[in-house]
Amino acid sequence: NISSLFRSGSRSSKTFKPKKNIPEGSHQYELLKHAEATLGSGNLRMAVMLPEGEDLNEWVAVNTVDFFNQINMLYGTITDFCTEESCPVMSAGPKYEYHWADGTNIKKPIKCSAPKYIDYLMTWVQDQLDDETLFPSKIGVPFPKNFMSVAKTILKRLFRVYAHIYHQHFDPVIQLQEEAHLNTSFKHFIFFVQEFNLIDRRELAPLQELIEKLTSKDR
């Protein structure tokens, strides 16, 4: 049947989940364009700073959507290498293993393969991003009071996908000549979460050495 055909085909297709689009013409779209323009200057420390007069929640929201899309794309290119067989657990090196829980559907953390974990994770993030009460796309609709804590949880979880790719799938990344792309994306992500203190240092431990290497040049 079509749906199982589509499902089996979707694992290796280039993007893993549908891209989350920010509506053109909206203020958030303008912010995204601003972010892309400053990124183009090559100065990532400057690029992550809150633009003058802008709302921090909105800036965090726009960038969170952007990171989701980037990670989605990066992971989408290596799904052929990240299988139930190759990655029976969701890990980031020998010392770090992640178990999935979302607090609503799955309250008690479950041990699952990396592809399954990342599927749960990206689906969960997508649901948050699509929730207009959490991520309002309409002008003048206020962000909820708990927005920052939701954004922090999303970013903390997205970090785990980077950590898994770096630890378990770096060889295919090199073969696909995506190393520079991955490093730039991750560096942008790290500068962003550092700028606004969005991820606890403990959570970043699996990639601590890499973070120091990537950020030391830009002090």
Side-chain angles (χ1 to χ4, degrees):
N1 74 17
I2 295 276
S3 73
S4 69
L5 195 89
F6 177 72
R7 266 208 307 280
S8 64
S10 70
R11 282 296 295 160
S12 58
S13 67
K14 281 294 175 236
T15 40
F16 177 60
K17 293 252 170 277
K19 195 167 188 278
K20 165 86 178 155
N21 285 321
I22 291 175
E24 262 185 76
S26 67
H27 183 61
Q28 293 186 8
Y29 188 77
E30 297 304 313
L31 272 180
L32 182 65
K33 287 281 155 259
H34 170 88
E36 282 168 2
T38 50
L39 272 177
S41 75
N43 185 335
L44 287 171
R45 286 259 181 244
M46 291 289 291
V48 298
M49 287 177 178
L50 181 65
E52 208 171 329
E54 292 298 344
D55 175 51
L56 179 60
N57 284 344
E58 198 157 35
W59 183 238
V60 169
V62 165
N63 281 278
T64 300
V65 169
D66 193 32
F67 289 128
F68 169 76
N69 286 337
Q70 288 182 41
I71 292 167
N72 194 6
M73 206 173 69
L74 285 161
Y75 182 70
T77 61
I78 55 114
T79 50
D80 290 349
F81 305 94
C82 186
T83 62
E84 301 284 326
E85 296 72 44
S86 69
C87 302
V89 295
M90 173 62 179
S91 63
K95 289 206 297 251
Y96 300 96
E97 187 181 307
Y98 299 110
H99 296 177
W100 178 253
D102 58 15
T104 42
N105 300 325
I106 300 173
K107 290 195 168 65
K108 193 174 184 296
I110 56 168
K111 190 171 179 161
C112 54
S113 69
K116 190 91 194 112
Y117 184 101
I118 292 171
D119 193 15
Y120 277 135
L121 187 156
M122 296 304 263
T123 303
W124 176 83
V125 172
Q126 201 170 18
D127 289 344
Q128 310 301 303
L129 301 180
D130 287 339
D131 183 343
E132 280 288 327
T133 63
L134 281 177
F135 279 77
S137 60
K138 293 177 185 64
I139 296 273
V141 177
F143 282 84
K145 289 198 170 37
N146 67 332
F147 173 74
M148 269 306 166
S149 68
V150 171
K152 283 177 177 177
T153 304
I154 291 172
L155 293 164
K156 174 180 82 175
R157 289 178 173 172
L158 287 175
F159 167 81
R160 295 171 181 177
V161 185
Y162 281 121
H164 180 71
I165 295 172
Y166 271 113
H167 276 283
Q168 313 301 134
H169 302 296
F170 200 58
D171 288 344
V173 167
I174 292 170
Q175 283 160 21
L176 294 161
Q177 298 181 323
E178 290 202 356
E179 188 183 353
H181 184 74
L182 174 65
N183 285 345
T184 305
S185 174
F186 181 61
K187 193 169 165 179
H188 180 202
F189 178 88
I190 287 301
F191 281 0
F192 191 82
V193 300
Q194 285 178 344
E195 175 73 12
F196 304 106
N197 212 4
L198 297 168
I199 302 183
D200 197 304
R201 265 184 77 90
R202 282 194 313 260
E203 287 286 339
L204 300 174
L207 293 178
Q208 197 49 51
E209 279 174 44
L210 176 69
I211 291 168
E212 280 164 22
K213 205 170 94 182
L214 287 177
T215 56
S216 64
K217 296 189 204 63
D218 291 86
R219 286 259 149 74

